[in-house]
């Protein structure tokens, strides 16, 4: 693993893993973990170990693999492990997938296994809408009665 573009621990660091780059952005609605490049048998375990750290907090996660241009079947284990980690930690997550990723998911029958959105913007908007809905549902319980 190499670090490019900043100090270790900085939110906008890019971590490189043999053809893939991983960067995380902490936003108000969710942590966006962006992976670009190739996910294959050579780097999948190290990427999986690296992104597992983002399931430890309470912040929802958007796993953005829209810029992954090559996705080996081994990458499914990364998505399954991430899903398992999020479920165990009670963290909501959403996948934004490239055509390379959705093709492998379709071919292997995993196309309905993960919460997929078309873009990071759509995933964050969905998160904002869910917050508004929860607030509206809770409002009758917090209003004072005369």
């Amino acid at each position: 693993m190499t670090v490019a573009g900043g100090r270790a621990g900085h939110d906008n660091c890019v971590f490189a893993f043999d053809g893939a780059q991983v960067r995380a952005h902490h936003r108000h609605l969710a942590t966006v973990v962006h992976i670009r490049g190739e996910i294959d048998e050579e780097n999948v375990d190290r990427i999986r170990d690296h992104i597992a750290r983002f399931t430890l907090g309470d912040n929802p996660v958007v796993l953005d693999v829209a810029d992954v241009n090559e996705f080996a079947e081994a990458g499914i284990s990364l998505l399954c492990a991430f899903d398992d980690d999020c479920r165990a930690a009670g963290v909501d997550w959403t996948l934004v997938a490239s055509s390379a990723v959705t093709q492998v998911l379709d071919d292997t029958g995993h196309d309905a296994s993960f919460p997929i959105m078309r873009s990071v913007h759509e995933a964050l908007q969905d998160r904002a809408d869910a917050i508004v809905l929860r607030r509206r549902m809770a409002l009758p319980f917090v209003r004072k009665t005369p």
Side-chain angles (χ1 to χ4, degrees):
M1 172 183 73
T2 59
V3 178
R7 308 182 308 276
H10 189 271
D11 286 349
N12 292 326
C13 268
V14 175
F15 292 85
F17 299 94
D18 295 326
Q21 297 82 42
V22 180
R23 174 182 288 192
H25 301 276
H26 299 284
R27 298 191 177 174
H28 175 69
L29 294 170
T31 298
V32 178
V33 178
H34 179 80
I35 303 174
R36 61 182 301 220
E38 304 171 7
I39 297 176
D40 57 27
E41 293 82 6
E42 300 297 319
N43 62 14
V44 69
D45 292 333
R46 287 176 296 155
I47 294 170
R48 182 179 55 234
D49 292 344
H50 180 73
I51 67 173
R53 73 186 68 217
F54 300 106
T55 64
L56 300 177
D58 338 346
N59 210 22
V61 179
V62 175
L63 185 60
D64 177 13
V65 293
D67 290 329
V68 168
N69 52 18
E70 290 187 36
F71 188 75
E73 266 190 55
I76 293 172
S77 68
L78 177 145
L79 298 178
C80 289
F82 193 77
D83 184 56
D84 290 345
D85 291 346
C86 286
R87 288 177 191 269
V91 172
D92 289 333
W93 78 286
T94 305
L95 176 66
V96 177
S98 68
S99 59
V101 174
T102 56
Q103 182 65 47
V104 172
L105 292 176
D106 289 345
D107 291 349
T108 59
H110 288 89
D111 52 328
S113 300
F114 308 108
I116 298 178
M117 293 282 180
R118 292 179 298 221
S119 69
V120 171
H121 176 75
E122 181 180 294
L124 294 175
Q125 185 61 51
D126 183 65
R127 176 74 38 214
D129 293 345
I131 291 170
V132 169
L133 181 61
R134 279 195 301 265
R135 287 180 181 161
R136 284 187 184 151
M137 291 173 64
L139 194 57
F141 298 111
V142 293
R143 287 189 178 154
K144 294 181 180 178
T145 56

